């Protein structure tokens, strides 16, 4: 009878390499065969032989009521830490038709317990790239099984150690540090404790938190600046790594590189706020900025005004006056109305709502802007909108008259050609004269000089009278 496939069962509890007794690795059972088979054991493909105090393979043979045999074999062997990946199996050997046949069981792995031999402590991410404000992990790893108990410490002054174990996961060996800063730098230690033999191991790592501090901007000269002046800005900072400097205006545009910025011919329009951006190229994301105000002082300068302004009598209009100055100026009008002021950076704009009257049309309005350094004023001229309209009417009337005259001239010329309209005395005489004499009558009219026209007409009449005679 051919035996059934062998059943193999591994030790479910795990085996310690420090066990003094030979531990059980697995058990193999072969059922219902005749004659009874033999069982051998293998590890990673190599056959195991009984060895005094190292390998034991006891076998039990049972004859069932059916007359068939059940064979049970147990493997006892010492293990090492390398056996954590070993695969064990049993092979059943039996006779069939005068030949030896074999059947192999499944391969099994057993849990091996062993103490740690090495401990590794590392900063994640890399310690060289840690910057202020980062969240980092100190990961402690040991090559023992099961993992030992982890403890964490930080060295303080006089070689004393601060216990940070309460902040760590002692099972996984991870210490989380949130928002590190300059004071977080230092030597950290991971200590392991093997509960089997109470042996301790430890490993240290240096944490370096990169930072930028003491960013300051110096302005020369520091006294109040006037329009047309020049100024030099210098930026400085401290860091354990090399630094680069950039200058940006109040809109965030880069205007220069290096730790100095020179500004010449200052005006009110010069950006009033500049920032020095300090960057650590070797540590991505490590940067700081410092802002400085460049205040240019001077008397007000009116930059926009609504003049000339075309208006109508009794119309409500808005008069606008916009100026720039520092210190902030005040705006005054010489006419009564409702004023509204708007401030943007160093610009100040005033809108005056007023009703147009005869005096306002005649005199206009005056915008006066002043501060402690001086006064500026400009006149707003108001023009009556009727003036340009009347001119337009006159032009249209002239064009219409020209067209009318042209049309009348065309009609008169047409009628004259048809003979419907006689031209002077000669015309009256032509009506009574024979047709043959009409071609001898010549009438010449010139419009450039009235005296010449009169002479020609008289000459023509004289010729006609002589012809009649």
């Amino acid at each position: 009878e051919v035996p059934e496939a062998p059943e193999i069962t591994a030790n479910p509890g795990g085996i310690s390499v420090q066990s003094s007794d030979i531990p059980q690795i697995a058990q193999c059972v072969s059922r219902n065969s005749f004659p009874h088979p033999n069982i051998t054991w293998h590890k990673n493909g190599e056959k195991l032989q009984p060895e005094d105090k190292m390998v034991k393979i006891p076998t039990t043979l049972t004859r069932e009521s059916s007359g068939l045999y059940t064979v049970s074999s147990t493997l006892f062997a010492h293990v090492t830490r390398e056996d954590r990946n070993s695969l064990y199996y049993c092979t059943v050997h039996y006779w069939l038709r005068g030949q030896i046949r074999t059947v192999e069981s499944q391969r099994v792995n057993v849990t091996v317990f062993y103490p740690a031999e090495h401990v590794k402590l590392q900063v994640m991410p890399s310690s060289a790239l840690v910057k202020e404000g980062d969240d980092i992990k100190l990961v402690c790893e040991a090559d023992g099984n099961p993992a030992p108990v982890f403890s964490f410490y930080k060295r303080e002054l006089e070689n004393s150690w601060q216990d940070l174990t309460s902040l760590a996961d002692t099972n996984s060996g991870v210490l989380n540090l949130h928002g590190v800063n300059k004071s977080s730098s230092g030597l950290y230690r991971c200590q392991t404790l093997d509960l089997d033999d109470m042996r301790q191991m430890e490993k240290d790592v240096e944490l370096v938190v990169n930072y930028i501090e003491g960013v300051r901007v110096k302005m020369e000269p520091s006294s109040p600046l006037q329009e047309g002046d020049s100024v030099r800005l210098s930026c400085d900072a401290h860091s354990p790594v090399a630094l680069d400097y950039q200058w940006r205006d109040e809109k965030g545009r880069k205007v220069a590189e290096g730790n100095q910025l020179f500004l010449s011919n200052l005006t009110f329009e010069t950006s009033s706020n500049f920032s020095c951006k300090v960057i650590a190229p070797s540590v991505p994301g490590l940067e700081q900025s410092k802002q400085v105000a460049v205040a240019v002082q001077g008397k007000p300068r009116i930059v926009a005004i609504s003049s000339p302004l075309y208006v109508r009598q009794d119309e409500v209009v808005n008069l606008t006056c916009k100026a720039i100055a520092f210190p902030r100026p005040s705006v005054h009008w010489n006419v009564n109305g409702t004023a509204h002021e708007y401030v943007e950076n160093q610009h100040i704009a005033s809108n005056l709502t007023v009703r147009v009257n005869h005096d306002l049309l005649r005199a206009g309005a005056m915008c006066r802007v002043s501060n402690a350094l001086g006064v500026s004023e400009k006149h707003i001229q108001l023009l009556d909108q009727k003036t340009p309209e009347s001119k337009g009417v006159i032009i249209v009337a002239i064009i219409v008259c020209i067209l009318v005259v042209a049309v009348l001239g065309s009609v008169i010329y047409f009628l004259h050609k048809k003979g419907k309209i006689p031209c002077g005395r000669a015309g009256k005489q032509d009506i009574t004269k024979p047709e043959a004499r009409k071609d001898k009558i010549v009438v010449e009219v010139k419009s450039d000089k009235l005296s010449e026209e009169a002479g020609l007409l008289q000459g023509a009449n004289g010729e006609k009278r002589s012809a009649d005679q």
Side-chain angles (χ1 to χ4, degrees):
E1 183 70 24
V2 176
E4 297 176 4
E7 299 174 359
I8 187 169
T9 304
N11 186 336
I15 305 169
S16 174
V17 298
Q18 297 177 331
S19 175
S20 57
D21 297 329
I22 301 178
Q24 177 180 326
I25 302 297
Q27 186 180 46
C28 181
V29 178
S30 173
R31 303 181 187 277
N32 301 322
S33 64
F34 188 87
H36 66 81
N38 293 324
I39 296 178
T40 59
W41 285 92
H42 304 265
K43 181 178 77 171
N44 297 330
E46 295 184 4
K47 185 179 178 180
L48 296 175
Q49 299 289 349
E51 186 178 348
D52 186 30
K53 296 182 180 181
M54 294 300 295
V55 179
K56 291 170 49 177
I57 307 175
T59 301
T60 301
L61 177 63
T62 304
R63 182 165 182 159
E64 307 293 345
S65 59
S66 60
L68 303 179
Y69 290 99
T70 295
V71 180
S72 176
S73 179
T74 304
L75 174 63
F76 293 86
H78 283 291
V79 293
T80 63
R81 60 186 297 119
E82 286 76 17
D83 288 326
R84 64 187 182 277
N85 298 320
S86 294
L87 294 176
Y88 298 86
Y89 65 94
C90 62
T91 302
V92 178
H93 305 266
Y94 63 94
W95 286 88
L96 180 64
R97 297 175 183 176
Q99 293 184 347
I100 296 179
R101 305 293 181 92
T102 60
V103 179
E104 293 182 356
S105 71
Q106 293 180 342
R107 285 158 171 74
V108 295
N109 175 260
V110 293
T111 302
V112 179
F113 299 121
Y114 47 88
E117 293 182 351
H118 303 92
V119 177
K120 180 172 66 174
L121 179 60
Q122 58 182 343
V123 179
M124 299 180 63
S126 172
S127 179
L129 301 177
V130 175
K131 63 181 182 299
E132 284 190 311
D134 282 351
D135 295 337
I136 66 168
K137 293 180 179 180
L138 268 65
V139 180
C140 190
E141 296 175 334
D143 58 357
N145 186 35
V149 176
F150 297 93
S151 300
F152 289 89
Y153 303 89
K154 182 178 185 293
R155 188 171 66 180
E156 300 295 338
L157 298 176
E158 299 179 357
N159 206 29
S160 61
W161 292 85
Q162 177 187 2
D163 191 352
L164 303 177
T165 305
S166 60
L167 305 176
D169 185 341
T170 56
N171 293 323
S172 62
V174 176
L175 173 63
N176 291 292
L177 299 177
H178 300 285
V180 295
N181 52 36
K182 178 183 177 181
S183 63
S184 302
S185 298
L187 187 67
Y188 288 79
R189 171 171 294 176
C190 169
Q191 192 174 82
T192 65
L193 175 63
D194 194 311
L195 297 179
D196 287 340
D197 57 6
M198 303 304 292
R199 186 174 62 164
Q200 287 185 343
M201 298 182 69
E202 59 188 30
K203 188 70 174 180
D204 296 342
V205 68
E206 185 77 23
L207 173 63
V208 178
V209 179
N210 296 290
Y211 61 90
I212 298 174
E213 66 178 6
V215 181
R216 58 188 180 275
V217 178
K218 182 180 180 182
M219 183 168 62
E220 296 177 337
S222 59
S223 58
L225 302 170
Q226 306 292 329
E227 282 197 299
D229 288 351
S230 299
V231 67
R232 185 185 303 277
L233 304 178
S234 301
C235 186
D236 191 21
H238 176 69
S239 175
V241 294
L243 299 176
D244 288 344
Y245 298 87
Q246 292 182 358
W247 293 93
R248 297 182 181 271
D249 62 14
E250 57 191 7
K251 294 183 179 179
R253 298 171 299 193
K254 185 170 69 173
V255 295
E257 292 186 352
N259 67 333
Q260 289 192 346
L261 173 64
F262 183 74
L263 302 173
S264 61
N265 195 23
L266 296 173
T267 65
F268 289 132
E269 287 80 4
T270 302
S271 180
S272 58
N273 291 309
F274 291 87
S275 62
C276 171
K277 188 174 183 180
V278 186
I279 304 171
S282 61
V283 185
L286 180 58
E287 58 185 44
Q288 281 195 23
S289 295
K290 183 74 172 182
Q291 195 173 65
V292 61
V294 180
V296 180
Q297 296 185 356
K299 78 172 190 176
R301 175 158 41 88
I302 298 177
V303 296
I305 196 166
S306 55
S307 179
L309 187 64
Y310 291 94
V311 297
R312 292 187 178 90
Q313 187 78 20
D314 294 328
E315 180 184 11
V316 176
V317 296
N318 287 324
L319 308 181
T320 302
C321 182
K322 185 176 183 180
I324 184 171
F326 186 82
R328 177 180 170 178
S330 58
V331 183
H332 299 281
W333 297 88
N334 69 334
V335 294
N336 294 327
T338 303
H340 299 279
E341 290 188 0
Y342 306 91
V343 178
E344 180 182 359
N345 296 332
Q346 292 177 329
H347 287 84
I348 182 170
S350 178
N351 289 339
L352 180 69
T353 303
V354 64
R355 183 176 296 277
V356 179
N357 55 32
H358 177 72
D359 292 338
L360 186 61
L361 273 173
R362 178 180 56 81
M366 184 69 71
C367 170
R368 187 173 187 270
V369 187
S370 61
N371 65 5
L373 300 178
V375 178
S376 294
E377 55 184 17
K378 280 193 176 182
H379 178 260
I380 296 181
Q381 182 183 10
L382 280 73
L383 302 176
D384 195 337
Q385 281 188 337
K386 292 181 179 180
T387 303
E389 288 182 355
S390 61
K391 291 181 179 179
V393 171
I394 294 173
I395 294 173
V396 172
I398 292 173
I399 294 173
V400 171
C401 291
I402 293 173
L403 293 176
V404 170
V405 171
V407 171
L408 289 176
S410 300
V411 171
I412 293 173
Y413 178 76
F414 177 75
L415 293 177
H416 172 67
K417 284 294 185 179
K418 293 294 184 178
K420 301 295 184 179
I421 300 178
C423 184
R425 292 175 58 190
K428 292 180 183 179
Q429 293 175 1
D430 276 350
I431 298 174
T432 58
K433 287 184 179 182
E435 291 287 334
R437 300 289 303 273
K438 289 181 180 179
D439 57 349
K440 295 182 180 180
I441 300 173
V442 177
V443 180
E444 182 180 0
V445 179
K446 292 184 179 179
S447 59
D448 51 352
K449 291 184 180 180
L450 293 176
S451 60
E452 293 180 1
E453 291 177 358
L456 290 172
L457 290 174
Q458 289 176 2
N461 290 335
E463 290 178 2
K464 288 182 181 180
R465 282 196 294 271
S466 62
D468 290 341
Q469 294 174 359

